[in-house]
Amino acid sequence: GIEDPCVFIPEDIWQLFGSSDIDANRAFIREVFVRNSLFVEHIFFTPQFNSLRVYANDSTKQNMIENRLKARDDMFNSFFDAVHETMILIDTEGKVILSNKVVAERLGKTVSELEGACIYDCFPPDVAAFRKLHYDHVIETGNPVHFEDIRLGRSFEQYCYPVFDKDKKVSGVTIFARE
């Protein structure tokens, strides 16, 4: 049968809204556990109708999915940063989508500073032009390239691979560079 809907009305309802003498519309949102499930409650009080409305949405499954995605994201970042060489993903314009700590340190930046930045702005013009030529080749042909170059007296062996979108069009370049 139908369970008691009052299970969703908080015991501290009047503390939430101040008092029973409320003269303006009020709303409150919070998460609550009810019988081992997590609910997001939206509670509205409308004084002119002396009514309390409670909308409760079971977010247990959504919360579990978000926790799994967070754990997976944390594992991915740990894996990505465990590599002690440059790993970076750029879009077709050279905008950094992902990078590991190694590339950020090599460029004198943080990972968050690199995200969204144009990779070509991080190099002297001659190095940027040389690398862009190779990255553009990957984008135009859809084939990987391997090349070596020198930046600040340091030699880098680069392996560049196309990243394809769902339509099999190149949407970016994954770069692995070994010093």
Side-chain angles (χ1 to χ4, degrees):
I2 297 175
E3 292 193 36
D4 182 6
C6 290
V7 73
F8 293 106
I9 298 175
E11 292 178 18
D12 60 347
I13 188 71
W14 297 120
Q15 285 129 2
L16 293 176
F17 289 99
S19 74
S20 59
D21 300 332
I22 302 171
D23 60 355
N25 291 340
R26 300 261 178 105
F28 190 78
I29 301 171
R30 72 177 186 181
E31 292 183 332
V32 295
F33 279 98
V34 177
R35 296 189 183 99
N36 297 322
S37 293
L38 179 66
F39 288 85
V40 175
E41 289 184 335
H42 297 259
I43 306 166
F44 302 91
F45 181 71
T46 309
Q48 61 265 38
F49 298 110
N50 196 28
S51 67
L52 179 70
R53 293 175 290 143
V54 179
Y55 299 94
N57 299 311
D58 187 347
S59 63
T60 307
K61 188 173 183 178
Q62 180 68 30
N63 194 45
M64 287 175 26
I65 291 168
E66 287 173 5
N67 287 340
R68 277 192 233 138
L69 286 173
K70 170 100 173 74
R72 188 175 183 165
D73 190 47
D74 290 346
M75 181 64 74
F76 174 78
N77 287 333
S78 295
F79 165 77
F80 207 54
D81 286 333
V83 176
H84 296 288
E85 296 294 345
T86 294
M87 289 180 61
I88 190 166
L89 171 63
I90 61 171
D91 70 8
T92 56
E93 302 299 314
K95 183 172 83 174
V96 176
I97 307 299
L98 289 171
S99 68
N100 66 356
K101 289 179 184 176
V102 172
V103 68
E105 289 169 3
R106 286 180 175 169
L107 295 173
K109 299 188 179 296
T110 65
V111 171
S112 59
E113 288 173 333
L114 276 179
E115 285 181 12
C118 180
I119 193 64
Y120 306 117
D121 294 340
C122 298
F123 305 117
D126 59 327
V127 173
F130 182 73
R131 290 184 182 185
K132 186 176 185 325
L133 182 73
H134 290 287
Y135 303 159
D136 284 348
H137 181 77
V138 173
I139 294 164
E140 291 165 9
T141 66
N143 294 318
V145 298
H146 169 247
F147 67 93
E148 291 183 39
D149 72 348
I150 297 173
R151 182 178 70 86
L152 301 174
R154 297 164 74 182
S155 178
F156 291 92
E157 187 175 9
Q158 297 207 22
Y159 298 86
C160 309
Y161 301 93
V163 175
F164 298 95
D165 63 16
K166 63 180 172 52
D167 298 321
K168 308 237 187 275
K169 181 180 172 202
V170 176
S171 61
V173 180
T174 297
I175 304 156
F176 175 81
R178 184 171 53 191
E179 188 173 8

